Amino acid sequence: MKKVRSISMNKKYGKLLLGSLAVGAAAVLVDALLLEKYFFDVKTFNIGENGGGKQLKLVLLTDLHFKQHLLPHHRKLAAKINELEPDLILITGDTLDSSGTLHPMDAFLSLLHQRIPKAAIPGNNDYKAAPDLSSLKNIYKKHNCDFLVNESKLYLLRGERLLVTGLDDFIEGESDVAAAVADVGHEKHHLLLVHSPLQQETAMKKIRMINRGRSRDEQLQIRYIFAGHNHGGQVRLPGYVPKLPLKSGGYVNGWYNQQPPYLYVSKGFGTSTLPFRFFARSEVTVFKYSM
């Protein structure tokens, strides 16, 4: 009698275990295929001067990876950005997926308030998708966005000067730091946009070389570097990232560098290669920059 009861109990616990595993597997699939891809975090950081005066709101977007269509989560993203009312939007590459088209990019940018100035740089997938960068530049220009390819742009925002330098992608493009800052002197608030965070290492070596040849009051002072490319690993386990993209440099996401220029690597918004994320929720990043 006890043996029969034991077998019955084992079957009961076995069914409970299988049921739990099935629920767990379903939860993982829902998280990977839906939640982390279509629902995003809004991360906010206070940067700049401690106890400073005016505060600018900067929004960082990266790795949108538009493919063939504008999807509902893209519309949700645009609505959120408009709600945030940023002073400047920064886009650090891979707006297009490697097989993407220009139409969803154009449609997304049209949803953003056109009065908001924007600055963008190319990523490696933009090069693969677009026949030439002029097509991207034309669409960006149409939507009040400067496409900075080894260029710098001075923005006057609420009466404050903010200089943004954008570098070409160093995987598919030709990054040229010297050309990007040729006409730039010392600016108190100077940002650098790169697609891959690894690019900051060669860029800052070049900046140090340039500064050695300049007088002190003309030396470049970059305060922050913003990057994407790595998707936060896109598919990862707690404390472990199985694979990062080419030329990622081992950076994953978040803040790096112990002293200026501080580097922030965003997990980005879209997906590449695999059509899902896991433990790497999409994000839009807000910087409250005290001047």
Coordinates of all heavy atoms in Angstrom, one line a residue, residues 40-130:
F40 N 10.5 49.0 -23.4 CA 11.8 49.6 -23.2 C 11.9 50.4 -21.9 O 10.9 50.8 -21.3 CB 12.2 50.5 -24.3 CG 11.2 51.6 -24.6 CD1 11.3 52.8 -24.0 CD2 10.2 51.4 -25.5 CE1 10.4 53.8 -24.3 CE2 9.3 52.4 -25.8 CZ 9.4 53.6 -25.2
D41 N 13.1 50.5 -21.4 CA 13.4 51.2 -20.2 C 13.8 52.7 -20.6 O 14.4 52.9 -21.6 CB 14.6 50.7 -19.4 CG 14.3 49.3 -18.8 OD1 13.1 49.1 -18.4 OD2 15.2 48.5 -18.7
V42 N 13.4 53.6 -19.7 CA 13.8 55.0 -19.8 C 14.8 55.2 -18.7 O 14.4 55.3 -17.5 CB 12.7 56.0 -19.8 CG1 13.2 57.4 -19.9 CG2 11.7 55.7 -20.9
K43 N 16.1 55.3 -19.0 CA 17.1 55.5 -18.0 C 17.5 57.0 -17.9 O 17.7 57.6 -19.0 CB 18.3 54.7 -18.3 CG 18.1 53.2 -18.2 CD 19.3 52.4 -18.2 CE 19.1 50.9 -17.8 NZ 20.3 50.1 -17.8
T44 N 17.6 57.5 -16.7 CA 17.8 59.0 -16.6 C 19.1 59.1 -15.7 O 19.2 58.5 -14.6 CB 16.6 59.7 -15.9 OG1 15.5 59.5 -16.7 CG2 16.9 61.2 -15.8
F45 N 20.0 60.0 -16.1 CA 21.2 60.3 -15.4 C 21.4 61.8 -15.3 O 21.2 62.5 -16.3 CB 22.4 59.7 -16.1 CG 22.4 58.2 -16.2 CD1 22.0 57.6 -17.4 CD2 22.7 57.4 -15.1 CE1 21.9 56.2 -17.5 CE2 22.7 56.0 -15.2 CZ 22.3 55.4 -16.4
N46 N 21.9 62.2 -14.1 CA 22.3 63.6 -14.0 C 23.8 63.8 -14.2 O 24.6 63.1 -13.6 CB 21.9 64.1 -12.5 CG 20.4 64.2 -12.3 OD1 19.7 64.7 -13.1 ND2 20.0 63.6 -11.2
I47 N 24.1 64.6 -15.2 CA 25.5 64.8 -15.5 C 25.9 66.3 -15.6 O 25.0 67.1 -15.4 CB 25.9 64.1 -16.9 CG1 25.1 64.8 -18.0 CG2 25.6 62.6 -16.8 CD1 25.5 64.3 -19.4
G48 N 27.1 66.6 -15.8 CA 27.6 68.0 -15.9 C 28.0 68.5 -14.5 O 28.6 67.8 -13.7
E49 N 27.8 69.8 -14.3 CA 28.2 70.5 -13.1 C 27.4 70.2 -11.9 O 26.1 70.1 -12.0 CB 28.2 72.0 -13.4 CG 29.0 72.5 -14.6 CD 30.5 72.3 -14.4 OE1 30.9 72.3 -13.3 OE2 31.2 72.2 -15.5
N50 N 28.0 69.9 -10.8 CA 27.3 69.8 -9.6 C 26.7 71.1 -9.1 O 27.5 72.0 -8.9 CB 28.2 69.1 -8.5 CG 28.5 67.7 -8.8 OD1 27.7 67.0 -9.3 ND2 29.7 67.3 -8.4
G51 N 25.4 71.2 -8.9 CA 24.8 72.4 -8.5 C 24.9 73.5 -9.5 O 25.0 74.7 -9.2
G52 N 25.0 73.1 -10.8 CA 25.1 74.1 -11.9 C 23.8 74.8 -12.1 O 22.8 74.7 -11.4
G53 N 23.9 75.7 -13.1 CA 22.7 76.6 -13.3 C 21.7 75.9 -14.2 O 21.0 75.1 -13.8
K54 N 21.7 76.3 -15.5 CA 20.7 75.7 -16.4 C 20.9 74.3 -16.6 O 22.1 73.8 -16.5 CB 20.8 76.5 -17.8 CG 20.4 77.9 -17.8 CD 20.4 78.5 -19.1 CE 20.0 80.0 -19.1 NZ 20.1 80.6 -20.5
Q55 N 19.9 73.6 -16.9 CA 19.9 72.1 -17.2 C 19.3 71.8 -18.5 O 18.2 72.1 -18.8 CB 19.2 71.4 -16.1 CG 19.4 69.9 -16.1 CD 18.7 69.2 -15.0 OE1 17.5 69.0 -15.0 NE2 19.4 68.8 -13.9
L56 N 20.2 71.2 -19.4 CA 19.7 70.7 -20.7 C 19.3 69.3 -20.6 O 19.8 68.5 -19.8 CB 20.8 70.9 -21.7 CG 21.4 72.3 -22.0 CD1 22.4 72.2 -23.0 CD2 20.2 73.2 -22.4
K57 N 18.3 68.9 -21.4 CA 17.8 67.5 -21.4 C 18.2 66.9 -22.8 O 17.8 67.4 -23.8 CB 16.3 67.4 -21.2 CG 15.8 66.0 -21.1 CD 14.3 65.9 -21.0 CE 13.8 66.5 -19.7 NZ 12.3 66.3 -19.5
L58 N 19.1 65.9 -22.7 CA 19.6 65.2 -23.9 C 19.0 63.8 -23.9 O 19.0 63.1 -22.9 CB 21.1 65.2 -23.9 CG 21.9 66.4 -23.6 CD1 23.4 66.2 -23.5 CD2 21.6 67.5 -24.6
V59 N 18.6 63.4 -25.1 CA 18.1 62.0 -25.2 C 19.0 61.3 -26.2 O 19.3 61.8 -27.3 CB 16.7 62.0 -25.8 CG1 16.3 60.6 -26.3 CG2 15.7 62.4 -24.7
L60 N 19.5 60.1 -25.7 CA 20.4 59.3 -26.5 C 19.6 58.1 -27.1 O 19.0 57.3 -26.4 CB 21.6 58.8 -25.7 CG 22.5 57.8 -26.3 CD1 23.2 58.4 -27.5 CD2 23.5 57.2 -25.3
L61 N 19.7 58.0 -28.4 CA 19.1 56.8 -29.1 C 20.2 56.1 -29.9 O 21.1 56.8 -30.4 CB 18.1 57.2 -30.2 CG 16.8 57.9 -29.7 CD1 15.9 58.3 -30.9 CD2 16.0 56.9 -28.8
T62 N 20.2 54.8 -29.9 CA 21.2 54.1 -30.7 C 20.6 52.7 -31.1 O 19.7 52.2 -30.5 CB 22.5 53.9 -29.9 OG1 23.5 53.4 -30.8 CG2 22.3 53.0 -28.8
D63 N 21.2 52.2 -32.2 CA 20.9 50.9 -32.7 C 19.4 50.6 -32.8 O 18.8 49.6 -32.4 CB 21.5 49.8 -31.8 CG 23.0 49.9 -31.7 OD1 23.6 49.4 -32.6 OD2 23.5 50.6 -30.8
L64 N 18.7 51.5 -33.5 CA 17.3 51.3 -33.8 C 17.0 50.2 -34.8 O 16.0 49.5 -34.7 CB 16.7 52.6 -34.4 CG 16.6 53.8 -33.4 CD1 16.5 55.1 -34.1 CD2 15.4 53.6 -32.5
H65 N 18.0 49.9 -35.7 CA 17.9 48.8 -36.6 C 16.6 48.6 -37.3 O 16.0 47.6 -37.3 CB 18.2 47.5 -35.8 CG 19.7 47.3 -35.5 ND1 20.6 46.7 -36.5 CD2 20.5 47.6 -34.5 CE1 21.8 46.7 -36.0 NE2 21.8 47.2 -34.7
F66 N 16.2 49.7 -38.0 CA 15.0 49.6 -38.8 C 15.2 48.6 -39.9 O 16.2 48.7 -40.6 CB 14.6 51.0 -39.3 CG 14.1 52.0 -38.3 CD1 14.8 53.1 -38.0 CD2 12.9 51.7 -37.7 CE1 14.3 54.0 -37.0 CE2 12.4 52.6 -36.7 CZ 13.1 53.7 -36.4
K67 N 14.2 47.8 -40.1 CA 14.2 46.8 -41.1 C 13.3 47.2 -42.3 O 13.6 48.1 -43.0 CB 13.9 45.4 -40.5 CG 14.9 45.0 -39.5 CD 14.6 43.7 -38.8 CE 15.7 43.2 -37.9 NZ 16.0 44.2 -36.8
Q68 N 12.1 46.6 -42.4 CA 11.2 46.9 -43.5 C 10.0 47.7 -43.2 O 9.4 48.4 -44.0 CB 10.7 45.6 -44.2 CG 11.9 44.6 -44.6 CD 12.8 45.2 -45.6 OE1 12.4 45.8 -46.5 NE2 14.1 45.0 -45.4
H69 N 9.7 47.7 -41.9 CA 8.4 48.4 -41.5 C 8.6 49.1 -40.2 O 9.4 48.8 -39.3 CB 7.3 47.3 -41.3 CG 7.1 46.4 -42.5 ND1 6.5 46.9 -43.6 CD2 7.4 45.1 -42.7 CE1 6.4 45.9 -44.5 NE2 7.0 44.8 -44.0
L70 N 7.8 50.2 -40.0 CA 7.6 50.9 -38.8 C 6.6 50.1 -37.9 O 5.5 49.9 -38.3 CB 7.2 52.3 -39.0 CG 7.2 53.2 -37.8 CD1 8.6 53.6 -37.4 CD2 6.4 54.5 -38.0
L71 N 7.1 49.7 -36.7 CA 6.3 48.8 -35.9 C 5.7 49.6 -34.7 O 6.1 50.7 -34.4 CB 7.1 47.7 -35.4 CG 7.7 46.8 -36.5 CD1 8.6 45.7 -35.9 CD2 6.5 46.1 -37.3
P72 N 4.7 49.1 -34.0 CA 4.0 49.8 -32.9 C 5.0 50.3 -31.8 O 4.8 51.3 -31.3 CB 3.0 48.8 -32.4 CG 2.7 47.9 -33.6 CD 4.0 47.8 -34.3
H73 N 6.0 49.5 -31.5 CA 6.9 49.9 -30.5 C 7.8 51.1 -30.9 O 8.3 51.8 -30.1 CB 7.8 48.7 -29.9 CG 8.7 48.1 -31.0 ND1 8.2 47.4 -32.0 CD2 10.1 48.0 -31.0 CE1 9.3 47.0 -32.8 NE2 10.4 47.3 -32.2
H74 N 8.0 51.3 -32.2 CA 8.7 52.5 -32.7 C 7.8 53.7 -32.5 O 8.3 54.8 -32.1 CB 9.0 52.3 -34.2 CG 9.9 51.2 -34.5 ND1 9.7 50.3 -35.5 CD2 11.1 50.8 -33.9 CE1 10.7 49.4 -35.6 NE2 11.5 49.7 -34.6
R75 N 6.5 53.5 -32.7 CA 5.6 54.7 -32.5 C 5.5 55.0 -31.0 O 5.5 56.2 -30.6 CB 4.2 54.3 -33.0 CG 4.1 54.1 -34.5 CD 2.7 53.8 -35.0 NE 2.7 53.5 -36.4 CZ 2.7 54.4 -37.4 NH1 2.7 55.7 -37.0 NH2 2.7 54.1 -38.6
K76 N 5.6 54.0 -30.2 CA 5.6 54.2 -28.7 C 6.8 54.9 -28.3 O 6.8 55.8 -27.4 CB 5.5 52.9 -28.0 CG 5.4 53.0 -26.5 CD 5.2 51.6 -25.9 CE 5.2 51.7 -24.3 NZ 5.1 50.3 -23.7
L77 N 7.9 54.6 -28.9 CA 9.2 55.2 -28.6 C 9.1 56.7 -29.0 O 9.5 57.6 -28.2 CB 10.4 54.5 -29.3 CG 11.7 55.2 -29.3 CD1 12.2 55.3 -27.8 CD2 12.7 54.5 -30.1
A78 N 8.7 57.0 -30.2 CA 8.6 58.4 -30.7 C 7.7 59.2 -29.7 O 8.0 60.4 -29.4 CB 8.0 58.4 -32.1
A79 N 6.5 58.6 -29.3 CA 5.6 59.3 -28.4 C 6.3 59.6 -27.1 O 6.1 60.7 -26.5 CB 4.4 58.5 -28.2
K80 N 7.1 58.7 -26.6 CA 7.8 58.9 -25.3 C 8.8 60.0 -25.4 O 9.0 60.8 -24.5 CB 8.5 57.6 -24.9 CG 9.1 57.7 -23.5 CD 8.1 58.0 -22.4 CE 8.7 58.2 -21.1 NZ 7.7 58.5 -20.0
I81 N 9.6 60.0 -26.5 CA 10.6 61.1 -26.7 C 9.9 62.4 -26.8 O 10.4 63.4 -26.2 CB 11.4 60.8 -28.0 CG1 12.2 59.5 -27.8 CG2 12.3 62.0 -28.4 CD1 12.8 59.0 -29.1
N82 N 8.8 62.6 -27.5 CA 8.1 63.8 -27.6 C 7.6 64.3 -26.2 O 7.6 65.4 -25.9 CB 6.9 63.7 -28.6 CG 7.4 63.6 -30.0 OD1 8.5 64.1 -30.4 ND2 6.5 63.1 -30.8
E83 N 7.2 63.3 -25.4 CA 6.7 63.6 -24.1 C 7.9 64.1 -23.2 O 7.7 65.0 -22.4 CB 6.1 62.3 -23.5 CG 5.7 62.4 -22.0 CD 5.3 61.1 -21.4 OE1 4.7 60.3 -22.2 OE2 5.6 60.8 -20.2
L84 N 9.1 63.6 -23.4 CA 10.2 64.0 -22.7 C 10.7 65.4 -23.0 O 11.3 66.1 -22.2 CB 11.4 63.1 -22.9 CG 11.3 61.7 -22.3 CD1 12.3 60.7 -22.9 CD2 11.4 61.7 -20.8
E85 N 10.3 65.9 -24.2 CA 10.7 67.3 -24.6 C 12.2 67.6 -24.5 O 12.6 68.5 -23.8 CB 9.8 68.3 -23.9 CG 8.4 68.2 -24.2 CD 7.5 69.3 -23.5 OE1 8.0 69.9 -22.5 OE2 6.5 69.6 -24.0
P86 N 13.0 66.8 -25.1 CA 14.5 67.0 -25.0 C 14.9 68.3 -25.7 O 14.2 68.8 -26.7 CB 15.1 65.8 -25.7 CG 14.1 65.4 -26.7 CD 12.7 65.7 -26.0
D87 N 16.0 68.9 -25.3 CA 16.6 70.0 -26.0 C 17.4 69.5 -27.2 O 17.6 70.3 -28.1 CB 17.6 70.8 -25.0 CG 16.8 71.4 -23.9 OD1 16.0 72.3 -24.1 OD2 16.9 70.9 -22.7
L88 N 17.9 68.3 -27.2 CA 18.7 67.7 -28.2 C 18.6 66.2 -28.2 O 18.7 65.6 -27.1 CB 20.2 68.2 -28.1 CG 21.2 67.7 -29.2 CD1 20.9 68.3 -30.5 CD2 22.6 68.0 -28.7
I89 N 18.5 65.6 -29.4 CA 18.5 64.2 -29.5 C 19.8 63.7 -30.2 O 20.2 64.3 -31.2 CB 17.3 63.7 -30.4 CG1 16.0 64.0 -29.7 CG2 17.4 62.2 -30.6 CD1 14.7 63.7 -30.5
L90 N 20.4 62.7 -29.6 CA 21.7 62.2 -30.1 C 21.5 60.8 -30.6 O 20.9 60.0 -29.8 CB 22.8 62.3 -29.0 CG 23.0 63.6 -28.3 CD1 23.8 63.5 -27.1 CD2 23.7 64.6 -29.3
I91 N 21.9 60.5 -31.8 CA 21.7 59.2 -32.4 C 23.1 58.6 -32.8 O 23.8 59.1 -33.6 CB 20.8 59.3 -33.6 CG1 19.5 59.9 -33.3 CG2 20.6 57.9 -34.2 CD1 18.6 60.3 -34.5
T92 N 23.5 57.5 -32.1 CA 24.8 57.0 -32.3 C 24.9 55.7 -33.2 O 25.5 54.7 -32.8 CB 25.5 56.7 -30.9 OG1 24.7 55.9 -30.1 CG2 25.8 58.0 -30.2
G93 N 24.3 55.8 -34.3 CA 24.5 54.8 -35.4 C 23.6 53.6 -35.4 O 22.8 53.3 -34.5
D94 N 23.7 52.9 -36.5 CA 22.9 51.7 -36.8 C 21.4 52.0 -36.7 O 20.6 51.2 -36.1 CB 23.3 50.5 -35.9 CG 24.4 49.7 -36.4 OD1 25.1 50.1 -37.4 OD2 24.8 48.7 -35.8
T95 N 21.0 53.1 -37.3 CA 19.6 53.4 -37.4 C 19.0 52.4 -38.3 O 17.8 52.1 -38.1 CB 19.4 54.9 -37.9 OG1 20.1 55.8 -37.0 CG2 18.0 55.2 -38.1
L96 N 19.7 52.0 -39.3 CA 19.2 50.9 -40.2 C 19.8 49.6 -39.9 O 21.0 49.5 -39.4 CB 19.6 51.2 -41.7 CG 19.0 52.5 -42.3 CD1 19.4 52.7 -43.7 CD2 17.5 52.6 -42.2
D97 N 19.1 48.5 -40.0 CA 19.6 47.2 -40.0 C 20.4 46.9 -41.2 O 20.2 47.6 -42.2 CB 18.5 46.2 -39.8 CG 19.0 44.8 -39.4 OD1 19.7 44.7 -38.3 OD2 18.7 43.8 -40.0
S98 N 21.2 45.9 -41.2 CA 22.0 45.6 -42.4 C 21.2 45.3 -43.7 O 21.6 45.6 -44.8 CB 22.9 44.4 -42.2 OG 22.1 43.2 -41.9
S99 N 19.9 44.8 -43.5 CA 19.0 44.6 -44.6 C 17.9 45.6 -44.6 O 16.8 45.3 -45.2 CB 18.5 43.2 -44.6 OG 17.8 42.9 -43.4
G100 N 18.0 46.6 -43.9 CA 16.9 47.6 -43.7 C 16.7 48.5 -44.9 O 17.5 48.6 -45.8
T101 N 15.6 49.2 -44.8 CA 15.2 50.2 -45.8 C 15.1 51.6 -45.2 O 14.9 51.7 -44.0 CB 14.0 49.8 -46.6 OG1 12.9 49.8 -45.7 CG2 14.1 48.5 -47.3
L102 N 15.1 52.6 -46.0 CA 15.0 54.0 -45.5 C 13.6 54.4 -45.1 O 13.4 55.3 -44.3 CB 15.5 55.0 -46.6 CG 17.0 54.8 -47.0 CD1 17.2 55.6 -48.2 CD2 17.8 55.3 -45.8
H103 N 12.6 53.7 -45.6 CA 11.2 54.1 -45.3 C 10.8 54.2 -43.8 O 10.3 55.2 -43.3 CB 10.2 53.3 -46.1 CG 8.8 53.5 -45.7 ND1 8.1 54.6 -46.0 CD2 7.9 52.7 -44.9 CE1 6.9 54.6 -45.4 NE2 6.7 53.4 -44.8
P104 N 11.1 53.1 -43.0 CA 10.7 53.2 -41.6 C 11.5 54.2 -40.9 O 11.0 54.8 -39.9 CB 10.9 51.8 -41.1 CG 11.9 51.1 -42.1 CD 11.6 51.8 -43.4
M105 N 12.7 54.4 -41.3 CA 13.6 55.5 -40.7 C 12.9 56.9 -40.9 O 12.8 57.7 -40.0 CB 15.0 55.4 -41.2 CG 15.8 56.6 -40.9 SD 17.4 56.6 -41.8 CE 18.0 58.2 -41.5
D106 N 12.6 57.1 -42.1 CA 11.9 58.4 -42.5 C 10.6 58.6 -41.7 O 10.3 59.6 -41.2 CB 11.7 58.4 -44.0 CG 11.2 59.7 -44.5 OD1 11.3 60.7 -43.8 OD2 10.7 59.8 -45.7
A107 N 9.8 57.5 -41.7 CA 8.5 57.6 -41.0 C 8.7 57.8 -39.5 O 7.9 58.6 -38.9 CB 7.8 56.3 -41.2
F108 N 9.7 57.2 -38.9 CA 10.0 57.4 -37.4 C 10.4 58.8 -37.1 O 9.8 59.4 -36.2 CB 11.0 56.4 -37.0 CG 11.5 56.6 -35.5 CD1 10.7 56.2 -34.5 CD2 12.7 57.3 -35.2 CE1 11.1 56.4 -33.2 CE2 13.0 57.5 -33.9 CZ 12.2 57.1 -32.9
L109 N 11.3 59.3 -37.9 CA 11.8 60.7 -37.7 C 10.7 61.7 -37.9 O 10.7 62.8 -37.2 CB 13.0 61.0 -38.6 CG 14.3 60.2 -38.3 CD1 15.3 60.5 -39.4 CD2 14.8 60.6 -36.9
S110 N 9.7 61.4 -38.8 CA 8.6 62.3 -39.0 C 7.7 62.4 -37.8 O 6.9 63.3 -37.6 CB 7.8 61.9 -40.2 OG 7.1 60.7 -40.0
L111 N 7.7 61.3 -36.9 CA 6.9 61.3 -35.7 C 7.4 62.2 -34.6 O 6.7 62.6 -33.7 CB 6.7 59.9 -35.2 CG 6.0 58.9 -36.1 CD1 6.0 57.5 -35.5 CD2 4.5 59.3 -36.3
L112 N 8.7 62.5 -34.7 CA 9.4 63.3 -33.6 C 9.1 64.8 -33.9 O 9.0 65.2 -35.1 CB 10.9 63.1 -33.6 CG 11.3 61.6 -33.3 CD1 12.8 61.5 -33.4 CD2 10.8 61.1 -32.0
H113 N 9.0 65.6 -32.8 CA 8.8 67.0 -33.0 C 9.9 67.6 -33.9 O 11.1 67.4 -33.5 CB 8.7 67.7 -31.7 CG 7.5 67.4 -30.9 ND1 6.2 67.2 -31.4 CD2 7.3 67.2 -29.5 CE1 5.3 66.9 -30.5 NE2 6.0 66.9 -29.3
Q114 N 9.6 68.2 -35.0 CA 10.6 68.7 -35.9 C 11.4 69.8 -35.3 O 12.5 70.1 -35.8 CB 9.9 69.1 -37.2 CG 9.2 67.9 -37.9 CD 10.2 66.7 -38.2 OE1 11.1 66.9 -39.1 NE2 10.0 65.6 -37.5
R115 N 10.8 70.5 -34.3 CA 11.6 71.6 -33.7 C 12.8 71.2 -32.9 O 13.7 72.0 -32.6 CB 10.6 72.5 -32.9 CG 10.2 71.8 -31.6 CD 9.3 72.7 -30.8 NE 8.9 72.0 -29.5 CZ 7.8 71.2 -29.5 NH1 7.0 71.0 -30.5 NH2 7.5 70.6 -28.3
I116 N 12.8 69.9 -32.5 CA 13.9 69.4 -31.7 C 15.1 69.2 -32.5 O 15.0 68.4 -33.5 CB 13.5 68.1 -31.0 CG1 12.2 68.3 -30.1 CG2 14.6 67.6 -30.1 CD1 11.7 67.0 -29.6
P117 N 16.2 69.8 -32.3 CA 17.4 69.5 -33.0 C 18.0 68.1 -32.7 O 17.8 67.6 -31.6 CB 18.4 70.6 -32.6 CG 17.9 71.0 -31.2 CD 16.4 70.8 -31.2
K118 N 18.6 67.6 -33.7 CA 19.1 66.2 -33.6 C 20.5 66.1 -34.2 O 20.8 66.8 -35.2 CB 18.2 65.2 -34.3 CG 16.7 65.3 -33.9 CD 15.8 64.7 -34.8 CE 14.3 65.0 -34.6 NZ 14.0 66.5 -34.9
A119 N 21.3 65.2 -33.7 CA 22.6 65.0 -34.3 C 22.8 63.4 -34.4 O 22.5 62.7 -33.4 CB 23.7 65.6 -33.4
A120 N 23.3 63.0 -35.5 CA 23.4 61.5 -35.7 C 24.8 61.2 -36.3 O 25.4 62.1 -37.0 CB 22.3 61.0 -36.6
I121 N 25.2 60.0 -36.1 CA 26.4 59.5 -36.8 C 26.1 58.1 -37.4 O 25.1 57.5 -37.1 CB 27.6 59.3 -35.8 CG1 27.2 58.3 -34.7 CG2 28.0 60.6 -35.2 CD1 28.4 57.9 -33.8
P122 N 26.9 57.6 -38.3 CA 26.7 56.3 -38.9 C 27.2 55.2 -38.1 O 28.1 55.3 -37.3 CB 27.4 56.4 -40.3 CG 28.5 57.3 -40.0 CD 28.0 58.3 -39.0
G123 N 26.6 54.0 -38.3 CA 27.1 52.7 -37.7 C 27.5 51.8 -38.8 O 27.2 52.0 -40.0
N124 N 28.0 50.6 -38.4 CA 28.5 49.7 -39.4 C 27.3 49.1 -40.3 O 27.4 48.9 -41.5 CB 29.2 48.5 -38.8 CG 28.5 47.8 -37.7 OD1 28.1 48.5 -36.7 ND2 28.2 46.5 -37.8
N125 N 26.1 48.9 -39.6 CA 25.0 48.4 -40.4 C 24.4 49.5 -41.3 O 23.8 49.1 -42.3 CB 23.9 47.9 -39.4 CG 24.3 46.5 -38.9 OD1 24.2 45.5 -39.6 ND2 24.7 46.5 -37.6
D126 N 24.5 50.7 -41.0 CA 24.1 51.8 -41.9 C 24.8 51.7 -43.2 O 24.2 51.9 -44.3 CB 24.3 53.2 -41.3 CG 23.4 53.4 -40.1 OD1 22.2 53.1 -40.1 OD2 23.9 54.0 -39.1
Y127 N 26.1 51.4 -43.2 CA 26.9 51.2 -44.4 C 26.4 50.0 -45.2 O 26.4 50.1 -46.4 CB 28.4 51.1 -44.0 CG 29.1 52.4 -43.9 CD1 29.3 53.0 -42.7 CD2 29.6 53.0 -45.0 CE1 30.0 54.2 -42.6 CE2 30.3 54.2 -45.0 CZ 30.5 54.8 -43.7 OH 31.2 56.0 -43.6
K128 N 26.1 49.0 -44.5 CA 25.6 47.8 -45.2 C 24.3 47.9 -45.9 O 24.0 47.4 -47.0 CB 25.6 46.6 -44.3 CG 26.9 46.2 -43.7 CD 26.8 45.1 -42.7 CE 28.1 44.7 -42.0 NZ 28.0 43.7 -41.0
A129 N 23.4 48.7 -45.3 CA 22.0 48.9 -45.8 C 21.9 50.0 -46.8 O 21.2 49.8 -47.8 CB 21.1 49.2 -44.6
A130 N 22.6 51.1 -46.7 CA 22.4 52.2 -47.6 C 23.4 52.1 -48.7 O 24.6 51.8 -48.5 CB 22.6 53.5 -46.8

